[in-house]
Amino acid sequence: MNKKIKTEAVDELFEAILTLENKDECYAFFEDLATINEILSLAQRYEVARMLTEKQTYMAIAEKTGASDDGCPCFLNHFQNDPRECCRSVPLCRRRM
């Protein structure tokens, strides 16, 4: 975990997210906090991370999602650094879904 993200405000945000009980509550919560484009951007980043954990190629991911390596931190981490350091939490989430 990046130490820069660990703040009291972020802790409180995550605690609030953990109280949400269904998709409708999630939609309402995120629509209150973020623009449509911000939500869509997060969804795209999640899709990229999921596809990277499935060992999909850069070309396949870019073609399906429209994402590029300059706009997605997971792309940058995966292709420029150690791929094992990318998207570590995604498989956990996928197993719990």
Side-chain angles (χ1 to χ4, degrees):
M1 174 183 24
N2 186 328
K3 291 180 182 178
K4 292 180 184 177
I5 194 174
K6 184 98 170 104
T7 67
E8 192 173 318
V10 173
D11 279 349
E12 190 170 331
L13 171 65
F14 291 163
E15 288 294 328
I17 291 169
L18 290 171
T19 68
L20 302 172
E21 295 182 3
N22 57 51
K23 286 183 188 177
D24 287 336
E25 288 183 2
C26 287
Y27 275 101
F29 182 81
F30 282 96
E31 285 177 354
D32 285 346
L33 294 182
T35 67
I36 292 170
N37 284 338
E38 289 168 334
I39 297 167
L40 293 174
S41 178
L42 284 173
Q44 181 188 55
R45 289 175 180 202
Y46 176 78
E47 186 174 19
V48 166
R50 179 187 55 76
M51 292 176 78
L52 285 171
T53 63
E54 295 170 352
K55 310 276 191 259
Q56 301 224 14
T57 66
Y58 171 83
M59 292 301 292
I61 294 168
E63 187 176 299
K64 182 163 194 296
T65 67
S68 65
D69 60 357
D70 64 341
C72 184
C74 200
F75 258 5
L76 295 174
N77 287 339
H78 186 77
F79 292 107
Q80 293 178 356
N81 301 312
D82 185 349
R84 294 170 294 181
E85 291 298 313
C86 175
C87 314
R88 291 172 297 201
S89 63
V90 172
L92 173 66
C93 292
R94 298 291 296 169
R95 283 192 304 272
R96 291 180 177 175
M97 292 171 75

